[in-house]
Amino acid sequence: MSFLKLTDVTLKFGGVTAVDNVSFSVEKGEVFSLVGPNGAGKSTIFNILSRFYTPSHGEITFEGKSILKKQSHEIAGIGIARTFQNIELFHQASVLQNLLVARQTHRKSNPVSEILFSPFVKKEEYRHRYAVEKVIDFLDLQSYREKFISGLPYGVRKVVELGRALAIEPKLLLLDEPASGLSVEETQDVAFWIEDIKKVMGITVLMVEHDMHLVSSVSDRVMALADGKMLALGTPDEVKNHPAVIEAYLGGSEEVGN
Amino acid sequence: MRIIFKKSYEADIRYFKDRVQASWYFILLVLAVILPFVINDYWVGEFSLMLIWAIAGMGLMLLVGHTGQASLGHAAFMAVGAYTNVILQNDFNIPFIISLPLSGLFAGILGICVALPTGKLHGIYMAIATIAIGVLAEDLIVILEPWTGGVGGIYAPAINIFGINFDRYTNVAELYWLILAITVLIIIGYKNILRSPLGRSFAAVRDSEISAQAMGVNIGKTRTLSFAISCAITGISGALMGHFSYVFTNETFNIVISINLLLMIVVGGVGFIHGAFLGAMVVTFLPSGISFTRDAFFSDFHIIPGIESGIFGMILIAVILFEPMGLYGRWLKIKAYFELFPFYRKDMFRRQKTYLKTERTR
Ligand SMILES: Nc1ncnc2c1ncn2[C@@H]1O[C@H](COP(=O)(O)OP(=O)(O)OP(=O)(O)O)[C@@H](O)[C@H]1O
Ligand SMILES: [Mg+2]
């Protein structure tokens, strides 16, 4: 049984078929990457997995159970965390508060006890804080803990978003272009982190990324998409050298060039 | 600049940053308690009124400042609180100490009833829906005449708790202390909300609904809850306002009050508890301030009708133009200036550019 399995998933926006009969499955413990030119439908697949969009056709199962019956706020609870391509942090809150929001799925206290701040709520706060501190240490965010997001540079915001997803303690992590806009050094950090997320934390990673160097260095398997359709699936090298992929990228870059 | 070394998670959980800050608030509380011994009854009354506005402001602040929802009909929930409280006392013989929380609870439950159908609305649509609630409430008060006294109004009975009287006219100081105690309790509850998962889920909904959902926050439930708590606090302020004004009618809590409440927290500083208090001070003391200035300097002037709202409007425009973070935001900047002196930079509080949001699904 596959960990995450998409079967014939199709989604149309008006006339545009953003995702066209896509099927693939992600196995537990691997790093699986989606690549493809702009507008290929990669982020749309993530948004379908987050249940922001409902596919017109197809089935998606996670650990054998359909996620299409879930609502978007229930996805984190079953162990799927994500980051966003265009950072979606809580910008009027501190880094610490952002990471603590991610503990929502581990919340055991009820609103009334929280208004009274009962001893149990306090104990829970310690527990959440401890989990968040582990993430802060892992990503070296100590010096930003108290800083508000609205004052942070882009690169740090990207890391905070990764941290926020990790604070959920997910089984599956969806990363939408974790390295876009980052410097070479920062991208290198991301590569190390992804290795650790996979090997040390045992979290399965599904990643969208344009940086082929990063993709080849961390991925076990890669799937290439163009215009919502699957082009190729295999090891990073197989996909990179696949004629259809080369064609799509050359065709794509020519269009961009015009 | 003070540097605070934190040695445990407790430091981020407790109410005050450190001893120094705690001492300041303690001094403030002591001053507030001894106030009736220092000033005369008229001013004690004004301060009671200020606290009542501040409670209403906190109610709305939770909704607007911390959950990012607008309401232009909050006076309706003040009315619900005021009428429920008096009706419970008069018609059911329930003592004030029980009727007050019950009136808050009832306003909160009505808040849920309003939030469930309107919860999906945003921005201007939410504003329009809540204005409608405000208008509807005024009419309902007239229609429910047997209970509410209709346009004739209703008289608030004297408050008596365990044999102590809190009469509006004869026990001004006692009533002030009662209101102060309730204010402190609500501040504590508000602070608890902010430092617990509940407050963080509110902030998440305010800043990005889409990623709040991805974090497992149920948007609809969170918004409804925020609306309910907000209405409950506002209801309590309404109940107190009912007693403070002694007699009230359907006109007492009209749409102008709703708008005033919103303006009040904007002037005070949206997103800070302090903002509710600073805004309440402006609302309460501006009218007396204006009349005193007029009497002192322009005694031969005719009274210009509407001058208070005119000046209030001008203050509001000035705040929005020059200090979008309100009076409290201005205070934070002044404080930072002195703490960092001479390293303060002019652009320090300028909002950083926010990045593209093309991927938003809403
Ligand atoms: N909310 C939407 N409404 C209408 N069309 C959309 C919407 N979201 C995406 N699309 C379209 O769906 C297609 C796929 O978009 P998607 O964002 O998934 O691309 P992508 O592969 O993530 O590209 P990029 O590399 O630029 O991020 C594009 O043609 C896009 O214009
Ligand atoms: Mg994308």
Side-chain angles (χ1 to χ4, degrees), chain A residues 166-189:
Chain A
L166 285 175
I168 295 181
E169 296 181 4
K171 297 175 194 157
L172 172 67
L173 183 61
L174 312 178
L175 301 175
D176 200 345
E177 306 201 5
S180 75
L182 297 187
S183 69
V184 179
E185 291 80 11
E186 288 167 329
T187 306
Q188 191 57 247
D189 282 341

Short mmCIF file of all heavy atoms in Angstrom, two decimals, chain A residues 166-189:
data_model
loop_
_atom_site.label_atom_id
_atom_site.label_comp_id
_atom_site.label_asym_id
_atom_site.label_seq_id
_atom_site.Cartn_x
_atom_site.Cartn_y
_atom_site.Cartn_z
N LEU A 166 7.13 21.98 10.19
CA LEU A 166 7.73 20.91 10.99
C LEU A 166 7.12 20.85 12.39
O LEU A 166 7.03 19.78 12.98
CB LEU A 166 9.25 21.13 11.11
CG LEU A 166 10.05 20.79 9.86
CD1 LEU A 166 11.51 21.16 10.07
CD2 LEU A 166 9.92 19.31 9.52
N ALA A 167 6.71 22.03 12.91
CA ALA A 167 6.15 22.07 14.26
C ALA A 167 4.85 21.29 14.36
O ALA A 167 4.41 20.93 15.44
CB ALA A 167 5.95 23.52 14.71
N ILE A 168 4.23 21.02 13.22
CA ILE A 168 3.03 20.18 13.21
C ILE A 168 3.40 18.74 13.56
O ILE A 168 2.56 17.96 13.96
CB ILE A 168 2.33 20.27 11.82
CG1 ILE A 168 1.84 21.69 11.58
CG2 ILE A 168 1.21 19.27 11.67
CD1 ILE A 168 1.13 21.89 10.26
N GLU A 169 4.68 18.41 13.42
CA GLU A 169 5.17 17.02 13.56
C GLU A 169 4.42 16.12 12.59
O GLU A 169 3.74 15.16 13.00
CB GLU A 169 5.02 16.53 15.01
CG GLU A 169 5.87 17.31 15.99
CD GLU A 169 5.75 16.81 17.43
OE1 GLU A 169 5.05 15.80 17.66
OE2 GLU A 169 6.35 17.43 18.30
N PRO A 170 4.56 16.43 11.29
CA PRO A 170 3.77 15.69 10.29
C PRO A 170 4.42 14.37 9.92
O PRO A 170 5.57 14.10 10.27
CB PRO A 170 3.81 16.63 9.09
CG PRO A 170 5.14 17.30 9.18
CD PRO A 170 5.46 17.41 10.66
N LYS A 171 3.65 13.56 9.18
CA LYS A 171 4.22 12.34 8.59
C LYS A 171 4.67 12.64 7.17
O LYS A 171 5.60 12.04 6.66
CB LYS A 171 3.15 11.24 8.55
CG LYS A 171 2.67 10.82 9.91
CD LYS A 171 1.52 9.82 9.75
CE LYS A 171 0.78 9.62 11.05
NZ LYS A 171 -0.58 9.13 10.81
N LEU A 172 3.93 13.57 6.53
CA LEU A 172 4.25 13.93 5.15
C LEU A 172 4.39 15.44 5.08
O LEU A 172 3.55 16.19 5.60
CB LEU A 172 3.12 13.47 4.22
CG LEU A 172 3.18 13.94 2.76
CD1 LEU A 172 4.37 13.30 2.04
CD2 LEU A 172 1.89 13.59 2.02
N LEU A 173 5.48 15.88 4.45
CA LEU A 173 5.75 17.31 4.37
C LEU A 173 5.70 17.73 2.90
O LEU A 173 6.38 17.15 2.07
CB LEU A 173 7.14 17.58 4.96
CG LEU A 173 7.64 19.01 5.06
CD1 LEU A 173 6.72 19.85 5.94
CD2 LEU A 173 9.05 19.01 5.64
N LEU A 174 4.85 18.71 2.60
CA LEU A 174 4.76 19.22 1.24
C LEU A 174 5.52 20.54 1.17
O LEU A 174 5.18 21.49 1.88
CB LEU A 174 3.30 19.47 0.84
CG LEU A 174 2.28 18.37 1.12
CD1 LEU A 174 0.88 18.83 0.69
CD2 LEU A 174 2.64 17.09 0.37
N LEU A 175 6.56 20.60 0.36
CA LEU A 175 7.36 21.83 0.26
C LEU A 175 7.17 22.44 -1.12
O LEU A 175 7.56 21.84 -2.12
CB LEU A 175 8.84 21.53 0.49
CG LEU A 175 9.20 20.90 1.84
CD1 LEU A 175 10.69 20.54 1.88
CD2 LEU A 175 8.86 21.84 2.98
N ASP A 176 6.57 23.63 -1.18
CA ASP A 176 6.38 24.27 -2.48
C ASP A 176 7.51 25.28 -2.72
O ASP A 176 7.52 26.35 -2.13
CB ASP A 176 5.01 24.97 -2.53
CG ASP A 176 4.55 25.22 -3.97
OD1 ASP A 176 5.41 25.11 -4.88
OD2 ASP A 176 3.36 25.52 -4.18
N GLU A 177 8.45 24.89 -3.54
CA GLU A 177 9.63 25.70 -3.88
C GLU A 177 10.33 26.23 -2.64
O GLU A 177 10.41 27.44 -2.41
CB GLU A 177 9.21 26.84 -4.82
CG GLU A 177 8.47 26.28 -6.04
CD GLU A 177 8.46 27.22 -7.23
OE1 GLU A 177 9.11 28.28 -7.16
OE2 GLU A 177 7.83 26.86 -8.24
N PRO A 178 10.90 25.31 -1.84
CA PRO A 178 11.54 25.74 -0.59
C PRO A 178 12.78 26.60 -0.85
O PRO A 178 13.19 27.33 0.05
CB PRO A 178 11.93 24.41 0.07
CG PRO A 178 12.00 23.43 -1.03
CD PRO A 178 10.97 23.85 -2.02
N ALA A 179 13.36 26.53 -2.04
CA ALA A 179 14.60 27.27 -2.27
C ALA A 179 14.43 28.47 -3.19
O ALA A 179 15.41 29.15 -3.49
CB ALA A 179 15.67 26.33 -2.83
N SER A 180 13.21 28.75 -3.63
CA SER A 180 13.06 29.86 -4.58
C SER A 180 13.40 31.17 -3.89
O SER A 180 13.00 31.42 -2.76
CB SER A 180 11.63 29.91 -5.11
OG SER A 180 10.76 30.42 -4.15
N GLY A 181 14.21 31.96 -4.56
CA GLY A 181 14.58 33.27 -4.02
C GLY A 181 15.69 33.21 -2.99
O GLY A 181 16.04 34.23 -2.41
N LEU A 182 16.23 32.00 -2.75
CA LEU A 182 17.30 31.89 -1.75
C LEU A 182 18.67 31.94 -2.42
O LEU A 182 18.82 31.62 -3.59
CB LEU A 182 17.16 30.59 -0.96
CG LEU A 182 15.89 30.42 -0.13
CD1 LEU A 182 15.99 29.17 0.72
CD2 LEU A 182 15.62 31.64 0.74
N SER A 183 19.67 32.35 -1.63
CA SER A 183 21.05 32.39 -2.14
C SER A 183 21.59 30.97 -2.22
O SER A 183 20.97 30.02 -1.74
CB SER A 183 21.92 33.21 -1.20
OG SER A 183 22.07 32.51 0.01
N VAL A 184 22.77 30.82 -2.82
CA VAL A 184 23.37 29.50 -2.97
C VAL A 184 23.60 28.86 -1.59
O VAL A 184 23.31 27.68 -1.39
CB VAL A 184 24.71 29.62 -3.73
CG1 VAL A 184 25.36 28.25 -3.88
CG2 VAL A 184 24.48 30.24 -5.10
N GLU A 185 24.09 29.67 -0.66
CA GLU A 185 24.37 29.13 0.69
C GLU A 185 23.07 28.69 1.36
O GLU A 185 22.99 27.63 1.96
CB GLU A 185 25.04 30.18 1.58
CG GLU A 185 26.45 30.53 1.20
CD GLU A 185 26.51 31.52 0.04
OE1 GLU A 185 25.45 32.06 -0.32
OE2 GLU A 185 27.61 31.72 -0.52
N GLU A 186 22.05 29.54 1.25
CA GLU A 186 20.78 29.21 1.88
C GLU A 186 20.19 27.94 1.27
O GLU A 186 19.63 27.10 1.96
CB GLU A 186 19.80 30.38 1.74
CG GLU A 186 20.15 31.56 2.62
CD GLU A 186 19.38 32.84 2.28
OE1 GLU A 186 19.02 33.05 1.10
OE2 GLU A 186 19.16 33.65 3.19
N THR A 187 20.33 27.81 -0.07
CA THR A 187 19.83 26.62 -0.74
C THR A 187 20.55 25.38 -0.24
O THR A 187 19.96 24.32 -0.05
CB THR A 187 20.00 26.76 -2.27
OG1 THR A 187 19.40 27.98 -2.67
CG2 THR A 187 19.37 25.61 -3.00
N GLN A 188 21.85 25.52 -0.01
CA GLN A 188 22.65 24.43 0.54
C GLN A 188 22.09 23.99 1.90
O GLN A 188 21.93 22.81 2.16
CB GLN A 188 24.11 24.92 0.69
CG GLN A 188 25.11 23.85 0.98
CD GLN A 188 25.10 22.78 -0.09
OE1 GLN A 188 24.71 21.65 0.19
NE2 GLN A 188 25.47 23.10 -1.32
N ASP A 189 21.75 24.99 2.75
CA ASP A 189 21.14 24.69 4.05
C ASP A 189 19.87 23.89 3.87
O ASP A 189 19.64 22.89 4.56
CB ASP A 189 20.79 25.99 4.80
CG ASP A 189 22.02 26.62 5.43
OD1 ASP A 189 23.03 25.91 5.60
OD2 ASP A 189 21.96 27.83 5.75
#
